[in-house]
Amino acid sequence: MRLAPRALCSAAGAAWRESFPLEGHDVARWFPGHMAKGLKKMQSSLKLVDCIVEVHDARIPLSGRNPLFQETLGIKPHLLVLNKMDLADLKEKQKIIRHLEREGLKNVIFTNCIKDENIKQVIPKVTELVGNSYRYHRGENVEFCIMVIGVPNVGKSSLINSLRRQHLRKGKATRVGSEPGITRAVMSKIQVSERPLMFLLDTPGVLAPQIESVETGLKLALCGTVLDHLVGEETLADYLLYTLNRHQLFGYVQHYGLGEACDDVASVLKRVAIKLGKTQKVKVLTGTGNVNVIQPNYSAAARDFLRAFRSGLLGPVMLDRDVLQSFPPTDPSQAPGPRDM
């Protein structure tokens, strides 16, 4: 999605916001506190499990993962699946992998469960990890049992269904939805492979009890881990606009036919609403009586803006670019010199 050359030069040279106002946002209110129950259920099921497959959103590979997973489930072999790779800008994929390796995550696979991309890598990698680990009392079991974990709405159920399509030629076994919270309880075993005989446990999405920062909370919310209205659709739309402009990603201008990029969310949503016909009649009392005024539906425009981002219509995006930029280079010669600081 490219702008016309003149519009692109103008947009690239514009002064975009360098920061987003984070004060006044109560992150604790966004994320439900009942998820500790789900984590306890997972812990109680560990004795039935040979390996942990953690699914996370590839647009936030370095943010928002639940640290309690590693602490409470870390005794088992661990594979990280970064799903929705088709929606993520992965130009710095190797840098992401190096960053994760420093955190102790050496087994990472990028996937797109909608188109089954890289799905065939998952079962061989799980088989390798289990083969190289001590299975304790499960050593006599012929079948492998894998627990699928992750924060809400990152594609855990989609991964299970994709594995079944690839290895069993069967349809959906678990319900998939675009809203967080579809999987409510730890489920029974679901077969995903015949050779090797492998079953997966789907689990409810579990967020960290404390989100590390408001910005991490906004990134998680943009990826749909909580219901939009808890954060505020227009707040999310504003953070998305701030991120796209700061990274010079102007696909939204082309998608909505706006003519030029803009950093004012009210102005953008007004134009989006008018473009989509999302307007409403409002009665305004004046000195001469009631007057019907056509007003843009800002909430409807914000919802469409978020939907377009989440479905990839605005182009691939890396929401963790700020984290990657702060990551020190492996080669000391690549470190910024005094003039670059």
mmCIF file of all heavy atoms in Angstrom, residues 140-184:
data_model
loop_
_atom_site.group_PDB
_atom_site.id
_atom_site.type_symbol
_atom_site.label_atom_id
_atom_site.label_comp_id
_atom_site.label_asym_id
_atom_site.label_seq_id
_atom_site.Cartn_x
_atom_site.Cartn_y
_atom_site.Cartn_z
ATOM 1 N N GLU A 140 6.540 -44.461 30.008
ATOM 2 C CA GLU A 140 5.931 -45.654 29.416
ATOM 3 C C GLU A 140 4.769 -45.318 28.486
ATOM 4 O O GLU A 140 4.264 -46.193 27.775
ATOM 5 C CB GLU A 140 5.441 -46.593 30.530
ATOM 6 C CG GLU A 140 6.583 -47.137 31.397
ATOM 7 C CD GLU A 140 6.071 -48.039 32.503
ATOM 8 O OE1 GLU A 140 4.850 -48.290 32.540
ATOM 9 O OE2 GLU A 140 6.895 -48.508 33.306
ATOM 10 N N ASN A 141 4.315 -44.070 28.493
ATOM 11 C CA ASN A 141 3.200 -43.686 27.620
ATOM 12 C C ASN A 141 3.647 -43.601 26.168
ATOM 13 O O ASN A 141 4.656 -42.955 25.852
ATOM 14 C CB ASN A 141 2.625 -42.327 28.042
ATOM 15 C CG ASN A 141 1.863 -42.422 29.346
ATOM 16 O OD1 ASN A 141 2.440 -42.674 30.396
ATOM 17 N ND2 ASN A 141 0.560 -42.223 29.284
ATOM 18 N N VAL A 142 2.889 -44.234 25.292
ATOM 19 C CA VAL A 142 3.215 -44.213 23.876
ATOM 20 C C VAL A 142 2.897 -42.846 23.267
ATOM 21 O O VAL A 142 3.657 -42.319 22.445
ATOM 22 C CB VAL A 142 2.429 -45.309 23.115
ATOM 23 C CG1 VAL A 142 2.723 -45.236 21.617
ATOM 24 C CG2 VAL A 142 2.777 -46.678 23.662
ATOM 25 N N GLU A 143 1.772 -42.253 23.688
ATOM 26 C CA GLU A 143 1.369 -40.978 23.096
ATOM 27 C C GLU A 143 2.039 -39.800 23.795
ATOM 28 O O GLU A 143 2.421 -39.885 24.956
ATOM 29 C CB GLU A 143 -0.156 -40.820 23.140
ATOM 30 C CG GLU A 143 -0.704 -40.265 24.441
ATOM 31 C CD GLU A 143 -0.931 -41.306 25.524
ATOM 32 O OE1 GLU A 143 -0.551 -42.484 25.302
ATOM 33 O OE2 GLU A 143 -1.465 -40.948 26.587
ATOM 34 N N PHE A 144 2.176 -38.699 23.033
ATOM 35 C CA PHE A 144 2.676 -37.455 23.581
ATOM 36 C C PHE A 144 1.470 -36.573 23.921
ATOM 37 O O PHE A 144 0.496 -36.522 23.178
ATOM 38 C CB PHE A 144 3.557 -36.705 22.573
ATOM 39 C CG PHE A 144 4.855 -37.401 22.247
ATOM 40 C CD1 PHE A 144 5.564 -37.064 21.102
ATOM 41 C CD2 PHE A 144 5.363 -38.379 23.081
ATOM 42 C CE1 PHE A 144 6.761 -37.689 20.795
ATOM 43 C CE2 PHE A 144 6.564 -39.010 22.790
ATOM 44 C CZ PHE A 144 7.260 -38.679 21.641
ATOM 45 N N CYS A 145 1.569 -35.861 25.047
ATOM 46 C CA CYS A 145 0.518 -34.920 25.426
ATOM 47 C C CYS A 145 1.143 -33.537 25.580
ATOM 48 O O CYS A 145 2.097 -33.359 26.337
ATOM 49 C CB CYS A 145 -0.154 -35.342 26.733
ATOM 50 S SG CYS A 145 -1.549 -34.283 27.173
ATOM 51 N N ILE A 146 0.611 -32.568 24.836
ATOM 52 C CA ILE A 146 1.176 -31.228 24.771
ATOM 53 C C ILE A 146 0.154 -30.228 25.300
ATOM 54 O O ILE A 146 -1.020 -30.295 24.948
ATOM 55 C CB ILE A 146 1.534 -30.845 23.314
ATOM 56 C CG1 ILE A 146 2.268 -31.988 22.613
ATOM 57 C CG2 ILE A 146 2.324 -29.543 23.267
ATOM 58 C CD1 ILE A 146 3.524 -32.455 23.298
ATOM 59 N N MET A 147 0.597 -29.290 26.147
ATOM 60 C CA MET A 147 -0.289 -28.239 26.637
ATOM 61 C C MET A 147 -0.037 -26.958 25.836
ATOM 62 O O MET A 147 1.097 -26.510 25.704
ATOM 63 C CB MET A 147 -0.056 -27.962 28.122
ATOM 64 C CG MET A 147 -1.006 -26.915 28.696
ATOM 65 S SD MET A 147 -0.697 -26.573 30.452
ATOM 66 C CE MET A 147 -1.368 -28.051 31.206
ATOM 67 N N VAL A 148 -1.127 -26.404 25.289
ATOM 68 C CA VAL A 148 -1.043 -25.156 24.524
ATOM 69 C C VAL A 148 -1.473 -24.001 25.426
ATOM 70 O O VAL A 148 -2.580 -24.009 25.957
ATOM 71 C CB VAL A 148 -1.940 -25.213 23.278
ATOM 72 C CG1 VAL A 148 -1.802 -23.926 22.468
ATOM 73 C CG2 VAL A 148 -1.575 -26.399 22.407
ATOM 74 N N ILE A 149 -0.578 -23.033 25.608
ATOM 75 C CA ILE A 149 -0.849 -21.918 26.517
ATOM 76 C C ILE A 149 -0.631 -20.592 25.791
ATOM 77 O O ILE A 149 -0.076 -20.550 24.694
ATOM 78 C CB ILE A 149 0.052 -21.976 27.771
ATOM 79 C CG1 ILE A 149 1.524 -21.814 27.372
ATOM 80 C CG2 ILE A 149 -0.167 -23.267 28.545
ATOM 81 C CD1 ILE A 149 2.482 -21.672 28.540
ATOM 82 N N GLY A 150 -1.036 -19.499 26.425
ATOM 83 C CA GLY A 150 -0.810 -18.168 25.869
ATOM 84 C C GLY A 150 -1.812 -17.171 26.412
ATOM 85 O O GLY A 150 -2.780 -17.546 27.077
ATOM 86 N N VAL A 151 -1.574 -15.900 26.130
ATOM 87 C CA VAL A 151 -2.525 -14.858 26.514
ATOM 88 C C VAL A 151 -3.745 -14.985 25.592
ATOM 89 O O VAL A 151 -3.692 -15.699 24.582
ATOM 90 C CB VAL A 151 -1.884 -13.445 26.419
ATOM 91 C CG1 VAL A 151 -0.676 -13.341 27.337
ATOM 92 C CG2 VAL A 151 -1.510 -13.096 24.987
ATOM 93 N N PRO A 152 -4.859 -14.325 25.892
ATOM 94 C CA PRO A 152 -6.066 -14.497 25.074
ATOM 95 C C PRO A 152 -5.910 -14.037 23.624
ATOM 96 O O PRO A 152 -5.184 -13.092 23.325
ATOM 97 C CB PRO A 152 -7.107 -13.614 25.797
ATOM 98 C CG PRO A 152 -6.613 -13.499 27.199
ATOM 99 C CD PRO A 152 -5.118 -13.493 27.087
ATOM 100 N N ASN A 153 -6.601 -14.757 22.743
ATOM 101 C CA ASN A 153 -6.804 -14.340 21.351
ATOM 102 C C ASN A 153 -5.518 -14.246 20.529
ATOM 103 O O ASN A 153 -5.401 -13.388 19.659
ATOM 104 C CB ASN A 153 -7.543 -12.989 21.302
ATOM 105 C CG ASN A 153 -8.330 -12.815 20.014
ATOM 106 O OD1 ASN A 153 -8.754 -13.779 19.396
ATOM 107 N ND2 ASN A 153 -8.515 -11.574 19.616
ATOM 108 N N VAL A 154 -4.570 -15.140 20.790
ATOM 109 C CA VAL A 154 -3.343 -15.152 19.983
ATOM 110 C C VAL A 154 -3.350 -16.303 18.967
ATOM 111 O O VAL A 154 -2.432 -16.407 18.150
ATOM 112 C CB VAL A 154 -2.077 -15.261 20.870
ATOM 113 C CG1 VAL A 154 -1.844 -13.968 21.629
ATOM 114 C CG2 VAL A 154 -2.161 -16.446 21.827
ATOM 115 N N GLY A 155 -4.380 -17.168 19.033
ATOM 116 C CA GLY A 155 -4.493 -18.225 18.034
ATOM 117 C C GLY A 155 -4.197 -19.620 18.546
ATOM 118 O O GLY A 155 -3.797 -20.499 17.769
ATOM 119 N N LYS A 156 -4.399 -19.869 19.843
ATOM 120 C CA LYS A 156 -4.141 -21.212 20.387
ATOM 121 C C LYS A 156 -5.067 -22.245 19.742
ATOM 122 O O LYS A 156 -4.617 -23.292 19.286
ATOM 123 C CB LYS A 156 -4.327 -21.204 21.913
ATOM 124 C CG LYS A 156 -3.366 -20.283 22.644
ATOM 125 C CD LYS A 156 -3.540 -20.333 24.159
ATOM 126 C CE LYS A 156 -4.872 -19.784 24.621
ATOM 127 N NZ LYS A 156 -5.035 -18.337 24.316
ATOM 128 N N SER A 157 -6.361 -21.957 19.721
ATOM 129 C CA SER A 157 -7.313 -22.884 19.120
ATOM 130 C C SER A 157 -7.087 -23.007 17.616
ATOM 131 O O SER A 157 -7.240 -24.088 17.043
ATOM 132 C CB SER A 157 -8.746 -22.427 19.402
ATOM 133 O OG SER A 157 -9.002 -22.426 20.797
ATOM 134 N N SER A 158 -6.705 -21.903 16.979
ATOM 135 C CA SER A 158 -6.409 -21.933 15.539
ATOM 136 C C SER A 158 -5.223 -22.843 15.251
ATOM 137 O O SER A 158 -5.199 -23.548 14.232
ATOM 138 C CB SER A 158 -6.110 -20.522 15.023
ATOM 139 O OG SER A 158 -7.251 -19.699 15.129
ATOM 140 N N LEU A 159 -4.220 -22.836 16.135
ATOM 141 C CA LEU A 159 -3.061 -23.718 15.969
ATOM 142 C C LEU A 159 -3.491 -25.181 16.037
ATOM 143 O O LEU A 159 -3.081 -26.005 15.214
ATOM 144 C CB LEU A 159 -2.012 -23.418 17.042
ATOM 145 C CG LEU A 159 -0.808 -24.371 17.066
ATOM 146 C CD1 LEU A 159 0.010 -24.244 15.786
ATOM 147 C CD2 LEU A 159 0.063 -24.116 18.293
ATOM 148 N N ILE A 160 -4.321 -25.509 17.011
ATOM 149 C CA ILE A 160 -4.794 -26.894 17.146
ATOM 150 C C ILE A 160 -5.551 -27.319 15.892
ATOM 151 O O ILE A 160 -5.326 -28.404 15.341
ATOM 152 C CB ILE A 160 -5.675 -27.030 18.405
ATOM 153 C CG1 ILE A 160 -4.812 -26.868 19.661
ATOM 154 C CG2 ILE A 160 -6.394 -28.382 18.427
ATOM 155 C CD1 ILE A 160 -5.585 -26.854 20.957
ATOM 156 N N ASN A 161 -6.455 -26.468 15.422
ATOM 157 C CA ASN A 161 -7.228 -26.793 14.220
ATOM 158 C C ASN A 161 -6.332 -26.918 12.991
ATOM 159 O O ASN A 161 -6.548 -27.784 12.134
ATOM 160 C CB ASN A 161 -8.298 -25.730 13.987
ATOM 161 C CG ASN A 161 -9.383 -25.761 15.056
ATOM 162 O OD1 ASN A 161 -9.646 -26.799 15.651
ATOM 163 N ND2 ASN A 161 -10.011 -24.621 15.309
ATOM 164 N N SER A 162 -5.308 -26.066 12.905
ATOM 165 C CA SER A 162 -4.379 -26.115 11.778
ATOM 166 C C SER A 162 -3.571 -27.412 11.797
ATOM 167 O O SER A 162 -3.360 -28.043 10.750
ATOM 168 C CB SER A 162 -3.444 -24.908 11.829
ATOM 169 O OG SER A 162 -2.565 -24.897 10.734
ATOM 170 N N LEU A 163 -3.110 -27.814 12.980
ATOM 171 C CA LEU A 163 -2.373 -29.075 13.105
ATOM 172 C C LEU A 163 -3.243 -30.257 12.689
ATOM 173 O O LEU A 163 -2.781 -31.195 12.027
ATOM 174 C CB LEU A 163 -1.878 -29.259 14.546
ATOM 175 C CG LEU A 163 -0.713 -28.357 14.963
ATOM 176 C CD1 LEU A 163 -0.511 -28.407 16.469
ATOM 177 C CD2 LEU A 163 0.580 -28.778 14.247
ATOM 178 N N ARG A 164 -4.514 -30.229 13.066
ATOM 179 C CA ARG A 164 -5.429 -31.314 12.684
ATOM 180 C C ARG A 164 -5.633 -31.358 11.157
ATOM 181 O O ARG A 164 -5.692 -32.434 10.560
ATOM 182 C CB ARG A 164 -6.773 -31.141 13.395
ATOM 183 C CG ARG A 164 -6.734 -31.560 14.865
ATOM 184 C CD ARG A 164 -8.022 -31.199 15.572
ATOM 185 N NE ARG A 164 -9.188 -31.873 15.000
ATOM 186 C CZ ARG A 164 -9.551 -33.134 15.271
ATOM 187 N NH1 ARG A 164 -8.823 -33.862 16.107
ATOM 188 N NH2 ARG A 164 -10.626 -33.651 14.725
ATOM 189 N N ARG A 165 -5.722 -30.185 10.540
ATOM 190 C CA ARG A 165 -5.862 -30.146 9.078
ATOM 191 C C ARG A 165 -4.645 -30.743 8.398
ATOM 192 O O ARG A 165 -4.748 -31.491 7.423
ATOM 193 C CB ARG A 165 -6.042 -28.698 8.594
ATOM 194 C CG ARG A 165 -7.409 -28.115 8.809
ATOM 195 C CD ARG A 165 -7.609 -26.862 7.973
ATOM 196 N NE ARG A 165 -6.651 -25.806 8.268
ATOM 197 C CZ ARG A 165 -6.812 -24.878 9.204
ATOM 198 N NH1 ARG A 165 -7.886 -24.889 9.972
ATOM 199 N NH2 ARG A 165 -5.900 -23.947 9.397
ATOM 200 N N GLN A 166 -3.454 -30.406 8.924
ATOM 201 C CA GLN A 166 -2.214 -30.833 8.298
ATOM 202 C C GLN A 166 -1.931 -32.325 8.489
ATOM 203 O O GLN A 166 -1.461 -32.986 7.577
ATOM 204 C CB GLN A 166 -1.040 -30.025 8.862
ATOM 205 C CG GLN A 166 -0.994 -28.589 8.392
ATOM 206 C CD GLN A 166 -0.600 -28.470 6.934
ATOM 207 O OE1 GLN A 166 0.451 -28.932 6.525
ATOM 208 N NE2 GLN A 166 -1.466 -27.876 6.136
ATOM 209 N N HIS A 167 -2.223 -32.826 9.686
ATOM 210 C CA HIS A 167 -1.777 -34.183 10.027
ATOM 211 C C HIS A 167 -2.886 -35.226 10.077
ATOM 212 O O HIS A 167 -2.607 -36.418 9.965
ATOM 213 C CB HIS A 167 -1.030 -34.156 11.367
ATOM 214 C CG HIS A 167 0.214 -33.316 11.332
ATOM 215 N ND1 HIS A 167 1.398 -33.776 10.817
ATOM 216 C CD2 HIS A 167 0.446 -32.032 11.726
ATOM 217 C CE1 HIS A 167 2.316 -32.820 10.903
ATOM 218 N NE2 HIS A 167 1.764 -31.756 11.455
ATOM 219 N N LEU A 168 -4.117 -34.812 10.263
ATOM 220 C CA LEU A 168 -5.228 -35.764 10.332
ATOM 221 C C LEU A 168 -6.245 -35.562 9.215
ATOM 222 O O LEU A 168 -7.175 -36.356 9.071
ATOM 223 C CB LEU A 168 -5.945 -35.648 11.688
ATOM 224 C CG LEU A 168 -5.135 -36.002 12.937
ATOM 225 C CD1 LEU A 168 -5.983 -35.771 14.184
ATOM 226 C CD2 LEU A 168 -4.631 -37.437 12.878
ATOM 227 N N ARG A 169 -6.066 -34.467 8.448
ATOM 228 C CA ARG A 169 -7.022 -34.117 7.400
ATOM 229 C C ARG A 169 -8.440 -33.986 7.963
ATOM 230 O O ARG A 169 -9.418 -34.379 7.336
ATOM 231 C CB ARG A 169 -7.023 -35.165 6.273
ATOM 232 C CG ARG A 169 -5.666 -35.431 5.667
ATOM 233 C CD ARG A 169 -5.119 -34.184 5.004
ATOM 234 N NE ARG A 169 -3.777 -34.409 4.473
ATOM 235 C CZ ARG A 169 -2.928 -33.445 4.134
ATOM 236 N NH1 ARG A 169 -3.285 -32.181 4.313
ATOM 237 N NH2 ARG A 169 -1.744 -33.707 3.642
ATOM 238 N N LYS A 170 -8.538 -33.460 9.173
ATOM 239 C CA LYS A 170 -9.831 -33.285 9.823
ATOM 240 C C LYS A 170 -10.089 -31.812 10.087
ATOM 241 O O LYS A 170 -9.162 -31.011 10.138
ATOM 242 C CB LYS A 170 -9.903 -34.076 11.128
ATOM 243 C CG LYS A 170 -9.918 -35.582 10.908
ATOM 244 C CD LYS A 170 -10.139 -36.329 12.208
ATOM 245 C CE LYS A 170 -10.192 -37.832 11.948
ATOM 246 N NZ LYS A 170 -10.385 -38.597 13.199
ATOM 247 N N GLY A 171 -11.364 -31.483 10.299
ATOM 248 C CA GLY A 171 -11.768 -30.102 10.510
ATOM 249 C C GLY A 171 -11.576 -29.633 11.923
ATOM 250 O O GLY A 171 -10.809 -30.195 12.705
ATOM 251 N N LYS A 172 -12.351 -28.598 12.275
ATOM 252 C CA LYS A 172 -12.196 -27.929 13.551
ATOM 253 C C LYS A 172 -12.528 -28.850 14.717
ATOM 254 O O LYS A 172 -13.501 -29.569 14.699
ATOM 255 C CB LYS A 172 -13.100 -26.695 13.620
ATOM 256 C CG LYS A 172 -12.689 -25.572 12.667
ATOM 257 C CD LYS A 172 -13.599 -24.378 12.826
ATOM 258 C CE LYS A 172 -13.182 -23.251 11.881
ATOM 259 N NZ LYS A 172 -14.060 -22.079 12.024
ATOM 260 N N ALA A 173 -11.683 -28.762 15.744
ATOM 261 C CA ALA A 173 -11.971 -29.458 17.002
ATOM 262 C C ALA A 173 -12.251 -28.458 18.102
ATOM 263 O O ALA A 173 -12.858 -28.784 19.109
ATOM 264 C CB ALA A 173 -10.786 -30.332 17.407
ATOM 265 N N THR A 174 -11.786 -27.210 17.927
ATOM 266 C CA THR A 174 -11.988 -26.193 18.955
ATOM 267 C C THR A 174 -12.567 -24.937 18.328
ATOM 268 O O THR A 174 -12.269 -24.588 17.193
ATOM 269 C CB THR A 174 -10.654 -25.828 19.655
ATOM 270 O OG1 THR A 174 -9.769 -25.273 18.688
ATOM 271 C CG2 THR A 174 -10.019 -27.030 20.290
ATOM 272 N N ARG A 175 -13.389 -24.253 19.091
ATOM 273 C CA ARG A 175 -14.051 -23.041 18.623
ATOM 274 C C ARG A 175 -13.048 -21.897 18.555
ATOM 275 O O ARG A 175 -12.226 -21.721 19.441
ATOM 276 C CB ARG A 175 -15.190 -22.702 19.590
ATOM 277 C CG ARG A 175 -16.053 -21.537 19.144
ATOM 278 C CD ARG A 175 -17.138 -21.265 20.172
ATOM 279 N NE ARG A 175 -17.773 -19.971 19.927
ATOM 280 C CZ ARG A 175 -18.419 -19.307 20.857
ATOM 281 N NH1 ARG A 175 -18.519 -19.783 22.078
ATOM 282 N NH2 ARG A 175 -18.969 -18.147 20.581
ATOM 283 N N VAL A 176 -13.137 -21.127 17.472
ATOM 284 C CA VAL A 176 -12.229 -19.997 17.254
ATOM 285 C C VAL A 176 -13.052 -18.725 17.154
ATOM 286 O O VAL A 176 -14.104 -18.698 16.535
ATOM 287 C CB VAL A 176 -11.412 -20.197 15.954
ATOM 288 C CG1 VAL A 176 -10.548 -18.980 15.685
ATOM 289 C CG2 VAL A 176 -10.561 -21.452 16.046
ATOM 290 N N GLY A 177 -12.569 -17.647 17.786
ATOM 291 C CA GLY A 177 -13.283 -16.370 17.713
ATOM 292 C C GLY A 177 -12.321 -15.218 17.654
ATOM 293 O O GLY A 177 -11.148 -15.344 18.001
ATOM 294 N N SER A 178 -12.810 -14.059 17.200
ATOM 295 C CA SER A 178 -11.961 -12.869 17.098
ATOM 296 C C SER A 178 -11.922 -12.094 18.405
ATOM 297 O O SER A 178 -11.187 -11.134 18.540
ATOM 298 C CB SER A 178 -12.477 -11.955 15.985
ATOM 299 O OG SER A 178 -13.804 -11.554 16.255
ATOM 300 N N GLU A 179 -12.754 -12.497 19.378
ATOM 301 C CA GLU A 179 -12.753 -11.831 20.674
ATOM 302 C C GLU A 179 -12.063 -12.707 21.709
ATOM 303 O O GLU A 179 -12.118 -13.938 21.633
ATOM 304 C CB GLU A 179 -14.193 -11.543 21.133
ATOM 305 C CG GLU A 179 -14.880 -10.461 20.305
ATOM 306 C CD GLU A 179 -16.201 -10.046 20.911
ATOM 307 O OE1 GLU A 179 -16.667 -10.747 21.844
ATOM 308 O OE2 GLU A 179 -16.759 -9.036 20.461
ATOM 309 N N PRO A 180 -11.394 -12.084 22.691
ATOM 310 C CA PRO A 180 -10.728 -12.867 23.725
ATOM 311 C C PRO A 180 -11.729 -13.599 24.593
ATOM 312 O O PRO A 180 -12.858 -13.162 24.784
ATOM 313 C CB PRO A 180 -9.967 -11.805 24.541
ATOM 314 C CG PRO A 180 -10.710 -10.539 24.284
ATOM 315 C CD PRO A 180 -11.231 -10.634 22.881
ATOM 316 N N GLY A 181 -11.294 -14.764 25.113
ATOM 317 C CA GLY A 181 -12.127 -15.454 26.096
ATOM 318 C C GLY A 181 -13.014 -16.539 25.527
ATOM 319 O O GLY A 181 -13.931 -17.001 26.196
ATOM 320 N N ILE A 182 -12.764 -16.975 24.272
ATOM 321 C CA ILE A 182 -13.587 -18.044 23.702
ATOM 322 C C ILE A 182 -13.364 -19.353 24.457
ATOM 323 O O ILE A 182 -14.288 -20.074 24.768
ATOM 324 C CB ILE A 182 -13.267 -18.227 22.198
ATOM 325 C CG1 ILE A 182 -13.775 -17.008 21.406
ATOM 326 C CG2 ILE A 182 -13.883 -19.495 21.658
ATOM 327 C CD1 ILE A 182 -15.283 -16.834 21.404
ATOM 328 N N THR A 183 -12.090 -19.682 24.727
ATOM 329 C CA THR A 183 -11.783 -20.899 25.482
ATOM 330 C C THR A 183 -11.842 -20.567 26.967
ATOM 331 O O THR A 183 -11.002 -19.837 27.476
ATOM 332 C CB THR A 183 -10.375 -21.431 25.107
ATOM 333 O OG1 THR A 183 -10.307 -21.572 23.693
ATOM 334 C CG2 THR A 183 -10.115 -22.777 25.757
ATOM 335 N N ARG A 184 -12.798 -21.132 27.675
ATOM 336 C CA ARG A 184 -13.041 -20.744 29.062
ATOM 337 C C ARG A 184 -12.413 -21.688 30.086
ATOM 338 O O ARG A 184 -12.209 -21.312 31.222
ATOM 339 C CB ARG A 184 -14.557 -20.701 29.318
ATOM 340 C CG ARG A 184 -15.258 -19.608 28.525
ATOM 341 C CD ARG A 184 -14.971 -18.250 29.116
ATOM 342 N NE ARG A 184 -15.671 -17.196 28.384
ATOM 343 C CZ ARG A 184 -15.568 -15.927 28.648
ATOM 344 N NH1 ARG A 184 -14.787 -15.507 29.605
ATOM 345 N NH2 ARG A 184 -16.236 -15.030 27.946
#
